[in-house]
Amino acid sequence: MQDATTLKEYRKQLREALENDFQRQALDNFAVAYRTSRANAFADIDAPELIAEIAAAKDESIGRLEELFQEFKRHAEAAGTKVHLAATAHEANEIIARIGKENNVKTIVKSKSMTAEETHLNDHLEAQGFEVTETDLGEWIIQLRHEGPTHMVMPAIHLSRYQVADLFSEVTHKQQDVDIQKLVKVARRELRPKFCQADMGISGANFAIAATGTIGLITNEGNGRLTTTLPRVHVALAGVDKLMPTLHDALRIIRCLPKNATGQAITSYVTWITGTVPCEPSPRGTKVKHVVFLDNGRLAMARDPEFKQVLRCIRCGACANVCPIYRLVGGHKYGHVYIGAIGLVATYFFHGREKAKNLVQNCLNCGACKAVCAAGIDLPTLIKEVHARIQDEEGHPLYSTAVGQVLKNRKLFHTMLKSARLLQKPITGGTPYLRHLPMFLFKDQDFRALPAVADEAFRDKWERIKPRVADAKLKVALFSGCVQDFVYPEQMEAAVAVIASKPGVAMEYPMGQSCCGLPLQMMGEKQAGRELAAHNMNAIDAQDFDYIVTMCASCASYLKHGYKRLFADDPAMAYKAAQFAHRVIDFSSFVRDVLGITDESFTGPSKKVTYHAPCHLCRGLGVTEAPRALLGEAGLEYVPATEEDVCCGFGGTFSVKFPELSKELLGKKLANLKATGATAMATDCPGCIMQIRGGFEAEKTPFEVRHVAEYLAERLKRK
Amino acid sequence: MTTPNLVEKLTAKAGLVSATVRCVASMDEAMAYVADVCVGKEACQILASGCDAPLSGTAEALCETKQDKIICAPEMPDEAMAALSAHCAERGVKLITSGMRAHLGGIDIGLTMAAAGIAETGTVVIRSLNEEVRLASMIAEIHIAVLPARAIVADSYALEPRLVEWMGQPDFTAFVTGPSRTADIERVLALGVHGPLELHILILEDK
Ligand code: SF4
Ligand code: SF4
């Protein structure tokens, strides 16, 4: 459970987590294995279609939770189940404790329930004198260790067999073997008497089907079945978001959940319970059964246009499985009760701002979670939204407001960049890198060399290099982004040369353009971001152009998807943003798909080039083929790298705020690139270039890191 | 899909999750198999815990509750019961049809009739409003389910109308796919953590 009160303390905890070698290795192994098993599990299924169906069906239910609750209650009560709705976590706990007392319950067995973790049910029941035993193996282990879960599906993934053996030796007062198969059997035997003796069983519910008043439980171990069968009282605790109209909705989710969670086709057990069933030890011969639905902010959330998506979550845990940060630090540092990407969002709503405010900053915006989410939730955007909300509520940090002010004022920002060029002279030593960094300014940044600002910005060269096209068939605006404009103008020049190699394309570089605004979103400065977006849409009148081409994957994805979202509440601006977004295209897709450049344009000796897939290109825009194919067209030998689409750790302002994490991710990226045997790498994002080139430079490894446009430009046939 | 194809698919999918699948030509053959499995199984000890494992006093005490080899076969059709009693008597196995709560420490075999099979996932569907049936499929070390070939459907959607009908009154129905499993310790797969260690599916061929 993450409990740091300041960002500084949080960073300290993160550093400690990074030193946990066992956990690092376990999560690494899992991340790699997960990819393959998930792909295999979905081999015969159209995953995007299934995910879209789930999202649509969940949205439907979320719109009518109150009505579904009434319908469920009617059917369940007709079949003998008592149904409750608890407004708060405390109320839910109280209801359950009361049921216990009314039925003279002493001992309780529990099968895994995230909702019960959310309400801290065990603490409450224990304080009231009940004896509570978790029966899911992983949950039991962490209960005995007095810890929270570190993964939604595998709560004890952070522990080694040695730790478990020690724990079990303590519990049984006998020395236990470290053999996993034996440890599992010990747990089976130790827990069996608990099941036999328990008066009450508490379970969660994966589904609550309104049409029949049925709950559905999915488990692998079978503890859910024993918990709901042996004791004479059964209470199921579930979020109201588990309500769905029909069985079909549940069957659809079952097709997806286990596959997305662990790569299983289906779990060992899916149990459907309707009403009260015969139960021998119960005085009346049938089970005493209650279903408690927890609101705890969900019904309000269901009315929030932005955040109602959160209620689509089916708790598969996949968003943690693929998150590069979760993989580094584990669930105790990457969530409060709910972990992973969904935890970053849910914590704010279910556990409050204090618990969420540090966590929510720790996101690269890499989009891996969104791409894998079983319910199609736009997690990275929601994480940034929570960040923005917290800042609006708590007051914005000084630096963040200041950056917002500067970026909003294009002239001021550009003047500052130009003066930086003069100021940096003493620290570059005439190289393209900032050499002796003033350490008080850039603490912990020495894992990568930072580039110096170029002598002349692209915007200042434009009039000189602009190709004059007489009869234009295509009109194109270039959007450079700040980094290419001021730090890497050569990437822009290369792009211009490549585009100009096809006749009939008129290019404009609208001078009024400024930063795309993504850094402001990353910092939670939503209002300043809106102003900046409006500014750019004025500077580049979309109506005048067929395409707006950008060489920066992050800018492209933000211009295309982010702008529309910024103005969701302003129809006129939203329309304008949609017009604008419609024309935005990334460089590689433009060159390959629109201009149709082929191998005839290129010449020169081949060499091995590997590739890094920028998050905002491969996931943000879904562009995967174009850049790789272009390298081939240009006659280069493309050598794939391992985990090519895993984030390099740049994440814009992220790498300044969390340098330790950025460094680890970069280290892994460099190792994967080196392992290809190539000594050159192409990519489509200046941010990634800054990070990766800087990393190689810092460790003094000769490795060429350039934009795809540069590789193409240098191999263009001269006319 | 025709029945032979569904049988094949179910067999393949169930095999992937460590279930044992056999086709049997008659109920008598099925019952002989059940008795054989019981006899072939280790002594009357609680196999699940591996009686060599050091346990706490309470857990150890459960061992005392089980002294014979036991098959529990609640709610089986008369024809099956007649055949099974004969096989059990011959082989010295105790056969019960109720009273599972006296055997919570475990029994050797829980025998059930599956209401349906789902080929897509290698699943057997067990309806168990009867508590004895429920417990037999949970408490046993080996769960054997007899599944009539004609009760196999292609996927869970195909079963939906029947499930909905069952859910119209108090009901307890389970999709069972392979034996109980966990990967909670170091992600290493271990079978039989709480539920059965083995699942056998006997597909009863159509006559
Ligand atoms: S966007 Fe990337 S870093 Fe952020 S939560 Fe999702 S996977 Fe993790
Ligand atoms: S947010 Fe999506 S990926 Fe994460 S647990 Fe929920 S459904 Fe799964």
Side-chain angles (χ1 to χ4, degrees):
Chain A
M1 200 170 284
Q2 201 282 313
D3 52 6
T5 52
T6 62
L7 190 62
K8 200 168 155 206
E9 204 180 304
Y10 182 44
R11 273 184 60 190
K12 184 166 159 273
Q13 290 191 0
L14 292 174
R15 279 195 293 271
E16 285 162 11
L18 286 176
E19 283 159 20
N20 182 343
D21 291 333
F22 174 80
Q23 174 172 290
R24 292 273 307 261
Q25 193 61 53
L27 294 177
D28 260 357
N29 292 347
F30 175 54
V32 173
Y34 171 73
R35 266 180 180 243
T36 324
S37 19
R38 182 182 189 268
N40 290 343
F42 279 111
D44 304 330
I45 280 189
D46 184 344
E49 189 188 302
L50 180 58
I51 289 170
E53 278 178 21
I54 291 174
K58 284 293 271 182
D59 283 348
E60 234 274 301
S61 323
I62 292 164
R64 39 187 287 241
L65 288 180
E66 269 135 310
E67 184 192 324
L68 292 175
F69 170 77
Q70 292 305 338
E71 193 186 339
F72 180 93
K73 189 174 161 84
R74 203 167 61 241
H75 289 115
E77 297 200 331
T81 301
K82 188 103 183 50
V83 180
H84 314 254
L85 178 60
T88 62
H90 182 73
E91 205 177 307
N93 293 345
E94 286 277 279
I95 293 173
I96 297 172
R98 202 171 59 232
I99 298 169
K101 286 189 186 132
E102 279 165 10
N103 289 283
N104 199 18
V105 165
K106 302 271 176 302
T107 53
I108 299 174
V109 280
K110 251 182 90 217
S111 100
K112 197 170 133 55
S113 152
M114 277 313 292
T115 315
E117 308 264 4
E118 177 184 328
T119 67
H120 302 295
L121 178 62
N122 289 5
D123 294 344
H124 186 94
L125 292 175
E126 278 162 4
Q128 309 251 326
F130 296 100
E131 186 198 311
V132 188
T133 308
E134 292 288 347
T135 61
D136 173 273
L137 177 58
E139 288 285 325
W140 187 50
I141 292 171
I142 61 170
Q143 182 190 32
L144 292 170
R145 286 175 56 99
H146 308 288
E147 287 177 353
T150 185
H151 186 278
M152 263 192 280
V153 179
M154 292 161 292
I157 191 178
H158 59 298
L159 297 173
S160 71
R161 63 188 78 189
Y162 300 95
Q163 287 165 297
V164 177
D166 286 348
L167 182 70
F168 284 7
S169 302
E170 243 173 73
V171 170
T172 56
H173 306 292
K174 307 254 174 71
Q175 188 57 43
Q176 298 297 344
D177 207 312
V178 292
D179 180 85
I180 290 176
Q181 305 298 332
K182 284 191 184 157
L183 288 170
V184 170
K185 299 290 182 282
V186 169
R188 176 186 176 101
R189 276 292 294 283
E190 293 297 329
L191 285 166
R192 189 58 75 84
K194 305 276 185 195
F195 284 117
C196 301
Q197 289 149 11
D199 305 307
M200 175 156 122
I202 299 178
S203 71
N206 294 84
F207 317 105
I209 298 160
T212 52
T214 303
I215 62 164
L217 288 171
I218 60 184
T219 74
N220 272 316
E221 297 183 358
N223 58 320
R225 290 161 58 69
L226 291 168
T227 301
T228 54
T229 296
L230 287 172
R232 58 195 157 80
V233 183
H234 171 206
V235 180
L237 171 65
V240 276
D241 51 310
K242 292 293 152 60
L243 282 159
M244 45 194 62
T246 65
L247 174 67
H248 191 76
D249 300 288
L251 293 177
R252 190 193 289 118
I253 290 175
I254 293 169
R255 277 178 106 79
C256 188
L257 198 158
K259 296 188 181 75
N260 218 39
T262 54
Q264 265 181 291
I266 187 168
T267 53
S268 301
Y269 303 106
V270 180
T271 305
W272 306 103
I273 311 174
T274 313
T276 47
V277 294
C279 176
E280 201 203 279
S282 170
R284 48 178 163 168
T286 51
K287 177 145 326 221
V288 175
K289 187 167 159 222
H290 295 258
V291 178
V292 181
F293 286 103
L294 175 69
D295 176 353
N296 204 22
R298 287 169 173 83
L299 292 174
M301 195 187 244
R303 291 187 287 271
D304 182 322
E306 220 143 23
F307 285 100
K308 64 178 182 201
Q309 283 185 63
V310 174
L311 298 175
R312 287 188 200 155
C313 175
I314 59 169
R315 312 268 184 263
C316 68
C319 53
N321 299 353
V322 297
C323 174
I325 296 181
Y326 172 83
R327 179 170 165 181
L328 287 178
V329 302
H332 289 161
K333 301 291 168 263
Y334 207 59
H336 180 65
V337 167
Y338 293 100
I339 56 95
I342 189 70
L344 266 48
V345 184
T347 299
Y348 171 76
F349 291 96
F350 299 150
H351 301 286
R353 187 205 303 156
E354 270 311 303
K355 309 274 187 256
K357 70 175 185 196
N358 295 313
L359 277 175
V360 82
Q361 302 184 46
N362 194 3
C363 167
L364 285 155
N365 201 26
C366 74
C369 51
K370 177 185 177 184
V372 81
C373 177
I377 306 174
D378 187 354
L379 293 153
T381 303
L382 296 181
I383 291 169
K384 294 302 161 202
E385 277 294 330
V386 171
H387 188 190
R389 278 201 189 188
I390 292 177
Q391 286 194 178
D392 286 347
E393 289 164 7
E394 287 213 322
H396 293 229
L398 266 184
Y399 71 88
S400 146
T401 318
V403 174
Q405 290 305 325
V406 170
L407 286 189
K408 254 163 51 179
N409 183 337
R410 184 190 70 80
K411 292 221 172 82
L412 173 64
F413 175 45
H414 287 172
T415 311
M416 283 177 72
L417 280 169
K418 283 178 186 167
S419 18
R421 189 170 68 228
L422 302 172
L423 287 173
Q424 76 192 359
K425 279 275 156 32
I427 48 176
T428 58
T431 70
Y433 297 100
L434 294 176
R435 289 287 147 183
H436 323 281
L437 286 178
M439 282 309 163
F440 63 93
L441 265 184
F442 295 101
K443 197 166 168 295
D444 304 325
Q445 291 291 324
D446 53 345
F447 65 94
R448 56 175 179 188
L450 287 175
V453 176
D455 284 337
E456 190 179 16
F458 178 74
R459 59 177 57 243
D460 298 329
K461 296 183 177 180
W462 176 244
E463 271 312 311
R464 284 202 316 276
I465 61 171
K466 174 181 179 175
R468 318 281 151 176
V469 178
D471 53 343
K473 288 194 276 299
L474 217 52
K475 274 193 79 183
V476 170
L478 300 175
F479 187 89
S480 67
C482 328
V483 178
Q484 277 162 332
D485 191 357
F486 288 91
V487 180
Y488 301 131
E490 67 276 13
Q491 296 174 7
M492 290 300 295
E493 289 173 66
V496 170
V498 175
I499 296 172
S501 74
K502 279 275 171 185
V505 189
M507 282 177 269
E508 277 300 330
Y509 183 78
M511 284 295 159
Q513 65 180 278
S514 188
C515 168
C516 67
L518 180 60
L520 292 178
Q521 198 205 358
M522 289 292 288
M523 297 168 80
E525 293 292 328
K526 202 178 170 189
Q527 190 44 40
R530 266 168 77 113
E531 290 173 38
L532 199 48
H535 169 93
N536 280 327
M537 293 192 311
N538 279 332
I540 305 175
D541 188 349
Q543 309 291 339
D544 290 348
F545 301 99
D546 299 302
Y547 292 97
I548 301 167
V549 181
T550 163
M551 267 56 64
C552 170
S554 303
C555 297
S557 142
Y558 192 61
L559 297 178
K560 209 166 181 66
H561 303 305
Y563 278 24
K564 282 185 283 186
R565 268 192 313 263
L566 282 173
F567 299 107
D569 56 353
D570 179 342
M573 284 301 282
Y575 180 75
K576 201 169 167 187
Q579 295 283 305
F580 187 85
H582 180 67
R583 291 173 168 80
V584 171
I585 190 170
D586 67 286
F587 170 79
S588 288
S589 302
F590 177 71
V591 169
R592 178 166 177 264
D593 305 338
V594 180
L595 296 185
I597 285 185
T598 59
D599 56 355
E600 287 154 28
S601 302
F602 303 102
T603 182
S606 181
K607 71 169 170 182
K608 278 188 186 170
V609 179
T610 183
Y611 181 73
H612 162 67
C615 303
H616 294 142
L617 192 72
C618 65
R619 284 178 295 272
L621 293 173
V623 175
T624 52
E625 230 188 275
R628 292 167 170 101
L630 278 175
L631 293 173
E633 294 291 340
L636 295 161
E637 186 196 338
Y638 156 57
V639 212
T642 310
E643 302 203 285
E644 212 161 70
D645 59 356
V646 172
C647 184
C648 64
F650 180 62
T653 48
F654 174 87
S655 57
V656 179
K657 207 174 270 172
F658 296 101
E660 300 86 353
L661 301 181
S662 179
K663 176 184 173 181
E664 292 296 323
L665 294 171
L666 176 59
K668 206 169 276 180
K669 179 54 72 177
L670 299 186
N672 284 335
L673 292 170
K674 284 186 276 193
T676 61
T679 52
M681 183 211 89
T683 191
D684 304 63
C685 181
C688 306
I689 291 179
M690 190 186 287
Q691 173 89 341
I692 297 171
R693 191 188 277 172
F696 279 126
E697 173 67 21
E699 61 165 51
K700 301 271 170 280
T701 303
F703 210 101
E704 183 183 84
V705 176
R706 300 173 80 188
H707 197 282
V708 170
E710 294 176 277
Y711 285 101
L712 300 188
E714 76 176 5
R715 305 175 60 82
L716 277 177
K717 279 185 187 155
R718 305 267 161 243
K719 287 196 189 119
Chain B
M1 220 184 276
T2 58
T3 308
N5 277 339
L6 291 175
V7 169
E8 253 168 56
K9 181 140 193 211
L10 184 133
T11 306
K13 293 292 178 180
L16 290 179
V17 287
S18 332
T20 307
V21 187
R22 287 271 182 294
C23 284
V24 287
S26 67
M27 196 54 111
D28 185 60
E29 189 187 331
M31 295 306 113
Y33 176 91
V34 174
D36 283 349
V37 171
C38 192
V39 172
K41 190 173 169 294
E42 275 179 37
C44 75
Q45 312 296 359
I46 298 179
L47 170 71
S49 57
C51 271
D52 47 339
L55 292 164
S56 65
T58 349
E60 199 81 69
L62 269 188
C63 249
E64 309 303 317
T65 65
K66 178 173 181 297
Q67 295 302 339
D68 308 291
K69 282 206 175 185
I70 313 174
I71 296 175
C72 180
E75 276 199 349
M76 290 297 288
D78 295 343
E79 171 207 4
M81 281 316 285
L84 186 58
S85 336
H87 288 295
C88 285
E90 205 176 287
R91 292 170 168 82
V93 170
K94 182 170 167 186
L95 173 64
I96 59 174
T97 55
S98 63
M100 280 297 291
R101 278 188 182 264
H103 298 279
L104 294 179
I107 47 163
D108 299 278
I109 292 179
L111 178 65
T112 62
M113 257 332 264
I118 303 172
E120 187 187 25
T121 45
T123 301
V124 287
V125 180
I126 311 287
R127 278 193 83 186
S128 53
L129 188 62
N130 180 332
E131 186 182 283
E132 301 292 347
V133 177
R134 234 178 295 149
L135 290 173
S137 68
M138 293 178 200
I139 299 295
E141 292 177 352
I142 300 177
H143 174 201
I144 304 184
V146 179
L147 169 64
R150 80 185 94 80
I152 304 177
V153 295
D155 56 27
S156 64
Y157 291 170
L159 200 63
E160 197 180 321
R162 285 172 70 200
L163 283 166
V164 171
E165 201 187 303
W166 298 343
M167 290 171 182
Q169 54 279 307
D171 185 65
F172 195 111
T173 293
F175 294 177
V176 177
T177 314
S180 153
R181 62 186 56 223
T182 185
D184 269 349
I185 305 176
E186 292 191 13
R187 283 197 316 112
V188 173
L189 178 69
L191 296 181
V193 57
H194 292 301
L197 288 93
E198 294 178 22
L199 172 71
H200 298 227
I201 304 172
L202 301 179
I203 301 179
L204 188 58
E205 286 161 8
D206 296 331
K207 272 178 239 155

